[in-house]
Amino acid sequence: MQAVQFSEHGDTDVIEYDDFPDPEPDDDEVLVDVKAGALNHLDVFTRMGLGALGRLDVEMPHIPGSDAAGVVAEVGEDVARFEPGDHVAVSAGLSCGHCEFCRDGEPTLCENFQIIGEHVRGVHSEQTVVPAENLVPVPEHVDWEIAAASPLVFQTAWRMLVTRADLQPGESILVLGASGGVGHAAVQIADYVGAEVYATASTEEKLEYAAEVGADHTINYDAENFADAIADVTDERGVDVVVDHIGKATWQDSLDSLAKGGRIVTCGATTGRDPETDLNAIFWNQYEIHGSTMGTPGEVDDVLELVWKGEFEPRIRETLPMSETARAHEIISNREGFGKVVVVPDSEL
Ligand code: ZN
């Protein structure tokens, strides 16, 4: 089969689309004919060899990709939930199932938590093999691009807002980077919950999209400091919740945007992991800081149910053949456009 792959970490020129041995499912695994995959910022870090807590050590050549959707081709002996012909999407979180945190029903806190596409072989290839428990059923009316682009960002945003920040109707929330995958999912979920949604992006066009998917107020962070803007529009009060996946470049302004007792929730740090933090502001104002990573199977089911029903919809900014995955990485790194970048096996085009 053909697969996106790289044999060393580095710039986009390490990415190839080439032959790779056909995968075969183990007893608890499913072989999927991939119809579409979607990129995440994670893929850029994985290509560079940067894991959340240090250098990645993956088996080479590595197939990247944490999001994909397709048709079940073959199931392992122990798999009862799926059969050939079923439409499925990949949910990329891997938990051990037996550590203290898994036993407490917190699989995303697993001591051995791994992500398909980051720590183990990913799914951007003509065929892929994944554990049955990492597949979710997709109704047949759902487009492949939508099915591929939804799982990672919507489960991540759902856990951040609904589970970790416990966002309530009528509360105010600021979503940074609303044009990115997680950002545009967070805007939709916040709107669905019934919150007052403030969103930032870098161009007027992106802000229009943010408003279309549910932002009540938009702030162009290139034109003005967003913490000052939040102070202005909230009469110095600030917002109840801030969603920050930007990191170093925005962290202190995010804290400065919070109301007394406010919550900040982070799932990533694309501009750097080591911001300065004013601890006095945290204790005096009694802020809560929540980390969040992906979602539990229950959260995945809850949010994807709403995607399949059309309540939420990932915006597809561009669809490319898998052989142009390097270009997909550039689009994400350069923050071009709004929403998700999808890749399709060249043989499917
Ligand atoms: Zn575990």
Side-chain angles (χ1 to χ4, degrees), residues 68-199:
V71 179
V72 172
E74 191 184 329
V75 300
E77 260 179 35
D78 297 342
V79 176
R81 280 176 63 217
F82 298 102
E83 55 184 53
D86 286 350
H87 290 200
V88 292
V90 174
S91 179
L94 293 167
S95 306
C96 76
H98 51 73
C99 73
E100 173 191 350
F101 301 96
C102 286
R103 284 199 308 273
D104 287 349
E106 293 288 356
T108 61
L109 289 177
C110 177
E111 289 172 352
N112 306 301
F113 192 71
Q114 293 189 311
I115 299 175
I116 292 173
E118 179 180 2
H119 308 97
V120 301
R121 187 166 293 160
V123 293
H124 288 176
S125 46
E126 289 180 311
Q127 289 196 308
T128 191
V129 151
V130 289
E133 62 187 27
N134 287 91
L135 290 176
V136 290
V138 176
E140 295 204 355
H141 73 269
V142 177
D143 290 348
W144 292 123
E145 295 184 354
I146 299 290
S150 299
L152 196 142
V153 292
F154 276 97
Q155 68 177 279
T156 299
W158 185 265
R159 181 169 175 82
M160 289 177 90
L161 271 61
V162 175
T163 307
R164 303 291 288 141
D166 192 22
L167 183 67
Q168 297 296 313
E171 287 193 312
S172 52
I173 180 170
L174 168 64
V175 178
L176 302 186
S179 63
V182 168
H184 92 308
V187 168
Q188 295 182 51
I189 292 166
D191 183 49
Y192 174 81
V193 167
E196 186 84 2
V197 186
Y198 299 81

